[in-house]
Structures are given as structure tokens and as C-alpha cells.
Amino acid sequence: MTNMDKLYDAVAARGPVCVGLDTDISYLPEDFVDSAKTAGENIVAFNKAIIEATKAVAGCFKVQIAYYESLGMDGMKAYADTLAAVRAAGVPVIADIKRGDIAKTAEMYAKAHFEGDFEADFITLAPYMGLDSIQPYMPYMQQKGKGVFVLVRTSNPGAKDFEYEKLADGRHVYDMVGDKLNELGKQAMGESGYSSVGLVIGGTHIEEAAEIRARYKDSFFLIPGYGAQGGTAPDIAQYLSCGNGGVVNSSRGILLARKKQPGVKFDEAAYNECVKMKEAIADACSKL
């Protein structure tokens, strides 16, 4: 089984919610912070509580490396410890690193994030230097079952700047990128029918949702944009296939859920938000 097969099974068992551990020290409740610990140590303790509270209702977790890099060496230890905590919980983990270089540099990125202290099940990549920025990761997909999620059509307003530009054949730039990645992904297919080359498809632009899902039937989607960025359950449902075929990320909405649930502990509030999100997406999928 590939990691994408395992992610497919995880979504089937627990739903498509991806808990984003994009944890800033300011997100921690004041009464939770231990002044005897470093910022990184406090963040790890918070993350572990979130993981424990939500692992039964999360398809996966995603760890955005920038939040940890910003704390220097203390943060990078927290990053490694957080990845290890998710993997110890038996839940797939995506390292959101968005690397996009080529040749030996890309080989080193692959080694750094698919082995050793920073090992993850999946990583995110940026493809705009070309397919040779993706190829160095293929051996890990083909030989070790690792997976990648590559930026195709993102959830930010600036997606319109480049990704939506039209080509001479009438396709958008994001169509061209998706088509090439879909073809490349055929070299690393799993038992579930999905490739180890997944696509990042933002959930905030829904005009082409049905077309994109139909076009990339064997590509698993990482879908950002839910909640704080404006994506709703009915929007997101259109990018899934019978409730599977993708994971839907929410970071601040889950990490800061206590702010909308007065008197509820942060970890319990995170669990409640995951359940609410999971049920809303399931309901929207049932109406398609």
C-alpha cells in the first residue's frame, strides 16, 4: 500500500478533515503556557493535546513548516517532535513545505523530508520550475510509498495572477499544470486507484469544481480554503468523490475553536469543530 492508499482508508474511516497544525505561540491559551518551557516546547505540548483530542475524527494532519522555522532551532525541534507525535498516533501527516527546486537540491529536499528527523508521509511541492522539480521525489513514491501534493489551483486571491491565465488552446495555466502532473502520476498508482502525486486544489473558487474533479479522477486532492478563507461545506463537497478523494484543511478554525465556544477547553473545542466540519461536509456530499 502507498501512503495515498492509507490516506484514502483514513478518510473512509474518519472523514476528510485535515487538521492544520500551523501553530503560532499566540494561539495557545495563556493559562496553558508554561513559563519554564521554551516557545517550541509549549507549542509541542499544545499540538500533542490537539492531536490526542482530534485523531479519531481527522483523516490526517498537516504541519506548516514556516510557523516552526520562525522560532529558529527551538522551532525546528518542535517541528520534528510534532511530526513524530502525529506519526506515533498512527495518522497520516503532510509536511507543508512547498519546495520547488530541481536536480541535486530537490534530491536533498526529498531526503530531508522523507527520511530522518523531519520524515513525513507527504510533502507539498511547487511545480513552476517544471516537471524536473517533481521527478527527484518519484523514487520515494515508487519505492517507499511516499506521496506529494503539488500546487495546481490555489485558494488565495492571487491565484488569478498566473494560474487562471489562458493558453492558446483555451486551457488555463492550472489546467496545463494539472494535466502534466496527472500524466506523471500514472508512474506511481496505488491500490485505491489514486496516484501518489496528489494535487492542491483550493476550495474557495468553485466555478470549475465539477470539471476539475471529473478531469483528475485518479488524483487525490489537498483542499485548502475551508472556514477562515471562505470555503464552505457545499463548495468543498464538489471537489470530493463520494466523500473521499481529498482532504480538507482547516488550521485556525480548529486551533482557535475555543474562542467560539466559551468555557470549553481548547482541545475539546478543537474536537467539536472537527466533528462539526466533518458532519457539514458529509451532509453536503449527500446532497450532490
Side-chain angles (χ1 to χ4, degrees):
M1 289 182 70
T2 67
N3 285 349
M4 204 66 83
D5 293 330
K6 294 174 184 177
L7 183 57
Y8 176 87
D9 288 347
V11 171
R14 300 189 296 274
V17 174
C18 172
V19 177
L21 296 174
D22 308 352
T23 312
D24 185 80
I25 189 68
S26 67
Y27 296 172
L28 278 59
E30 289 184 10
D31 61 359
F32 181 81
V33 176
D34 184 345
S35 61
K37 294 181 178 179
T38 67
E41 289 169 342
N42 275 296
I43 285 172
V44 171
F46 177 85
N47 286 347
K48 285 182 175 180
I50 294 287
I51 293 164
E52 183 62 27
T54 62
K55 64 183 182 182
V57 290
C60 66
F61 291 84
K62 182 175 75 66
V63 188
Q64 167 49 255
I65 196 171
Y67 285 77
Y68 302 85
E69 288 177 330
S70 70
L71 296 175
M73 296 301 293
D74 179 43
M76 292 313 295
K77 184 177 187 308
Y79 176 74
D81 289 348
T82 296
L83 290 172
V86 178
R87 300 183 80 222
V91 182
V93 63
I94 303 168
D96 193 356
I97 61 174
K98 295 185 179 70
R99 298 302 193 251
D101 218 317
I102 59 168
K104 196 67 178 179
T105 302
E107 290 179 24
M108 292 298 100
Y109 279 139
K111 183 176 181 179
H113 296 281
F114 280 152
E115 298 180 22
D117 293 340
F118 303 141
E119 183 175 1
D121 300 311
F122 304 89
I123 59 175
T124 58
L125 300 175
Y128 283 93
M129 283 186 73
L131 290 181
D132 52 351
S133 69
I134 312 298
Q135 285 285 359
Y137 302 89
M138 293 300 295
Y140 285 91
M141 292 184 249
Q142 294 167 330
Q143 297 166 23
K144 295 189 175 183
K146 296 294 188 180
V148 301
F149 285 101
V150 189
L151 301 178
V152 174
R153 203 206 58 179
T154 55
S155 59
N156 59 307
K160 304 279 185 176
D161 295 340
F162 303 124
E163 297 166 19
Y164 278 77
E165 287 294 305
K166 285 289 188 75
L167 305 171
D169 62 8
R171 291 182 299 166
H172 297 95
V173 168
Y174 71 73
D175 291 319
M176 176 188 67
V177 174
D179 290 349
K180 288 182 180 291
L181 291 169
N182 191 57
E183 188 62 29
L184 179 66
K186 292 177 181 178
Q187 299 176 25
M189 296 300 297
E191 297 173 4
S192 61
Y194 287 100
S195 167
S196 291
V197 179
L199 311 181
V200 178
I201 304 290
T204 53
H205 309 295
I206 63 168
E207 299 84 1
E208 314 87 1
E211 177 188 343
I212 288 174
R213 181 68 275 178
R215 191 180 189 114
Y216 305 122
K217 291 180 180 178
D218 55 0
S219 296
F220 210 92
F221 294 170
L222 169 58
I223 308 168
Y226 184 90
Q229 293 186 51
T232 67
D235 298 339
I236 297 301
Q238 298 179 66
Y239 292 102
L240 298 174
S241 179
C242 299
N244 209 319
V247 287
V248 186
N249 184 73
S250 177
S251 301
R252 285 168 290 172
I254 294 172
L255 300 181
L256 297 174
R258 71 182 188 279
K259 294 193 173 184
K260 294 183 179 180
Q261 300 176 43
V264 179
K265 287 185 60 179
F266 74 89
D267 50 351
E268 183 182 351
Y271 170 82
N272 293 341
E273 180 61 25
C274 283
V275 171
K276 178 182 174 182
M277 181 177 168
K278 173 183 173 179
E279 291 178 347
I281 294 170
D283 180 64
C285 288
S286 71
K287 295 175 180 176
L288 292 178

